[in-house]
Amino acid sequence: MILIKGGTVVGPTGPYPADVLVVGEQVAAIFAPDQGPQEGDFETIDATGKYVIPGGVDAHTHMELPFGGTFASDTFDTGTRAAAWGGTTTIIDFAVQRTGEVVQDGLAAWHGKADGNCHVDYAFHMILGGVDDESLKAMDTLVTDEGITSFKLFMAYPGVFYSDDGQILRAMQKARDNGAMIMMHAENGPAIDVLVKQALERGETDPIHHGLTRPEALEAEATSRAIWLAGVAADCPLYIVHLSASKALEQVAAARDLGRNVFAETCPQYLYLTLEDQLGAPGFEGAKWVCSTPLRSKHETHRADLWKGLRSNDLSVVSTDHCPFCFKDQKELGIGDFSKIPNGIGSVEHRVDLLYQGVVDGKLSLGRWVETIATTPARMFGLYPKKGIIAPGSDADIVLYDPAARTRIGVETHHMNMDHSAWEGYEIAGKVDTVISRGRILVKDGAYHGAKGHGQFVRRGLSDYLI
Ligand code: URP
Ligand code: ZN
Ligand code: ZN
Ligand code: ZN
């Protein structure tokens, strides 16, 4: 048993002083200050001056993702350990059906990578690499038998993960029938490929051209098209992933104002980093920030609009889209041709901190911080109330967050398997202090006490937001 005493519990509705009793793997009770057990067979953790929040739920990670002839550099071991250090106690990773592969075989391969290797609990979405009669049937099986209730489709990357509009519509109709969520990578891939080819023909090979050939219009157009297609599929639940730009957000907001079944996430990189300052770094350095959707211009209103979208709930979730690649030998694959740079940024360790900085900066309330990093992703993807909340009966996934300490992010101190940090030198006024996963202390007093194999696969139900 553990008694977390003297802290300020923060839930999605805001902060309140309380003591939390953990028995075994679950939260047993929440007490008004000092009203809990006074003595007994329990360890007391002093939370004075700290926030006591539900462990983070990162609904978008890519451990070991195959991309551009290489693999994301974090394994489930290194990536979930880094997540734990950063206060994230559940990840939802994307299992991959490669084009031509049987969906269940892709899923089995993902279980093979993760089983016994995770430090925190994990669940899967399924990337559909092809939509046909077989994979549509598999969607039903995954929902009913495998605890996988969300499917990602790509309007980008023709020839790799791409689905055309007819395939998208069929998958949406299936999701409408079985209650699954369709997650959409909303960028117009065929149009982007034209711009990429033209840029390369002009000799524009530097990393910044990755961003310049993926203009906001092609994210907004794809977002809008996905929303219209979901409407044709009787308003199938639709979740836009890694939304980066104002005009795409406008599409989502307009649909939500109509009461549509449309949701979106953004990621820390779009809230803080920019096309000019990062992607446009001198020489080939910008490759560190090549991701899709791309970072947007600092001269436009994207970042301010995204923070506003988080407040207004037009953006419901902050995920990382953690997809790390080392600079050496991986990002370097794109020297002389930006289109060969593996797409992705690694941030699984930093999401809780980076969003807390939003609280410090007056952009988010404490309750909204917890809601966007833990409670809503748990509800969105059928993990609630096991995850995402500190409540009796919920898993004891708990983070003590110290607002008086500071975090300095950098490659020397992070735990992700990357030779650089997209956040080098960032300083946060706050720090993950103690991390508990299903009643087991993983991080305390600056030391790591977890182990691979502690993390278990979690079968998910349907989204709480399903209408
Ligand atoms: O650049 C990114 N986002 N890489 C990961 C794959 C994806 O599209 O989410
Ligand atoms: Zn994507
Ligand atoms: Zn609105
Ligand atoms: Zn992704």
Side-chain angles (χ1 to χ4, degrees):
M1 290 204 292
I2 301 173
L3 184 66
I4 301 168
K5 209 169 150 36
T8 299
V9 174
V10 185
T13 53
Y16 57 99
D19 299 341
V20 179
L21 182 67
V22 172
V23 176
E25 297 195 343
Q26 287 166 349
V27 174
I30 300 173
F31 298 99
D34 301 323
Q35 300 300 303
Q38 300 303 309
E39 55 190 78
D41 182 20
F42 54 78
E43 176 182 349
T44 300
I45 297 180
D46 181 7
T48 305
K50 307 207 170 90
Y51 296 125
V52 181
I53 66 171
V57 177
D58 191 338
H60 189 152
T61 70
H62 298 285
M63 307 305 169
E64 305 179 38
L65 178 77
F67 196 107
T70 185
F71 290 85
S73 57
D74 266 319
T75 61
F76 279 89
D77 178 4
T78 62
T80 57
R81 185 169 179 272
W85 270 106
T88 286
T89 52
T90 307
I91 63 161
I92 313 180
D93 201 81
F94 284 84
V96 178
Q97 176 212 10
R98 294 176 190 243
T99 307
E101 187 182 29
V102 173
V103 172
Q104 282 88 344
D105 291 349
L107 176 59
W110 233 256
H111 276 299
K113 291 173 197 275
D115 284 0
N117 289 321
C118 291
H119 292 245
V120 299
D121 287 353
Y122 62 100
F124 295 146
H125 313 285
M126 191 84 216
I127 287 176
L128 293 180
V131 176
D132 55 23
D133 292 347
E134 286 307 309
S135 57
L136 289 169
K137 222 182 298 165
M139 286 174 73
D140 283 337
T141 310
L142 263 56
V143 169
T144 53
D145 299 350
E146 303 286 352
I148 291 167
T149 55
S150 42
F151 298 86
K152 184 177 179 190
L153 299 172
F154 288 80
M155 301 169 105
Y157 305 130
V160 192
F161 299 123
Y162 177 77
S163 293
D164 67 27
D165 291 351
Q167 292 174 308
I168 288 169
L169 182 61
R170 291 187 78 197
M172 286 177 163
Q173 289 169 331
K174 174 58 77 180
R176 177 72 274 181
D177 288 344
N178 66 23
M181 180 76 80
I182 294 295
M183 307 174 76
M184 190 62 73
H185 182 129
E187 287 187 297
N188 185 325
I192 287 168
D193 278 5
V194 170
L195 298 182
V196 168
K197 186 162 173 290
Q198 291 169 346
L200 291 172
E201 282 166 2
R202 290 192 297 268
E204 297 166 354
T205 61
D206 288 346
I208 195 164
H209 296 287
H210 170 80
L212 296 175
T213 54
R214 306 181 91 90
E216 172 184 26
L218 296 183
E219 183 182 357
E221 182 275 331
T223 303
S224 167
R225 185 158 33 102
I227 291 169
W228 282 108
L229 288 169
V232 173
D235 211 9
C236 121
L238 174 66
Y239 178 97
I240 305 293
V241 294
H242 46 55
L243 189 148
S244 72
S246 302
K247 288 194 167 56
L249 178 58
E250 281 172 22
Q251 306 302 315
V252 170
R256 291 178 59 77
D257 288 350
L258 291 172
R260 292 283 308 280
N261 229 352
V262 173
F263 310 93
E265 68 175 15
T266 191
C267 313
Q269 51 269 34
Y270 308 117
L271 293 165
Y272 288 101
L273 309 178
T274 67
L275 177 85
E276 293 83 3
D277 289 344
Q278 276 79 32
L279 209 46
F284 190 66
E285 281 293 291
K288 293 174 181 172
W289 295 279
V290 164
C291 61
S292 297
T293 53
L295 303 181
R296 299 298 178 187
S297 173
K298 66 178 179 182
H299 303 302
E300 296 160 354
T301 58
H302 305 289
R303 288 174 297 171
D305 288 344
L306 294 179
W307 283 109
K308 201 168 73 182
L310 284 175
R311 287 195 297 278
S312 69
N313 205 33
D314 288 325
L315 295 170
S316 308
V317 169
V318 179
S319 307
T320 55
D321 193 8
H322 177 75
C323 193
F325 295 99
C326 285
F327 190 76
K328 184 147 182 41
D329 296 338
Q330 293 198 297
K331 291 288 187 180
E332 283 178 351
L333 291 168
I335 292 176
D337 179 351
F338 68 85
S339 73
K340 298 211 160 53
I341 300 169
N343 288 194
I345 286 179
S347 304
V348 75
E349 189 168 349
H350 305 312
R351 186 182 59 121
V352 172
D353 284 322
L354 288 165
L355 268 290
Y356 181 71
Q357 186 61 41
V359 176
V360 175
D361 294 342
K363 292 173 172 159
L364 287 185
S365 68
L366 278 172
R368 191 67 184 146
W369 170 50
V370 165
E371 200 170 31
T372 53
I373 61 168
T375 313
T376 302
R379 296 190 67 191
M380 187 68 69
F381 294 110
L383 289 166
Y384 185 91
K386 182 177 168 68
K387 306 294 186 188
I389 190 83
I390 297 175
S394 294
D395 281 357
D397 293 353
I398 298 172
V399 171
L400 273 60
Y401 200 81
D402 185 353
R406 293 186 79 80
T407 303
R408 191 179 162 81
I409 302 179
V411 66
E412 295 302 326
T413 49
H414 77 197
H415 301 85
M416 300 176 291
N417 186 32
M418 290 175 73
D419 61 2
H420 66 279
S421 172
W423 305 94
E424 190 64 49
Y426 262 70
E427 261 200 63
I428 311 294
K431 188 177 182 20
V432 172
D433 177 89
T434 302
V435 180
I436 300 170
S437 159
R438 272 186 291 103
R440 173 173 175 162
I441 295 171
L442 302 187
V443 177
K444 191 167 187 293
D445 300 326
Y448 192 73
H449 306 282
K452 73 174 185 176
H454 167 76
Q456 294 178 351
F457 178 69
V458 187
R459 305 167 78 86
R460 297 184 291 114
L462 300 181
S463 172
D464 277 13
Y465 295 103
L466 184 63
I467 299 167

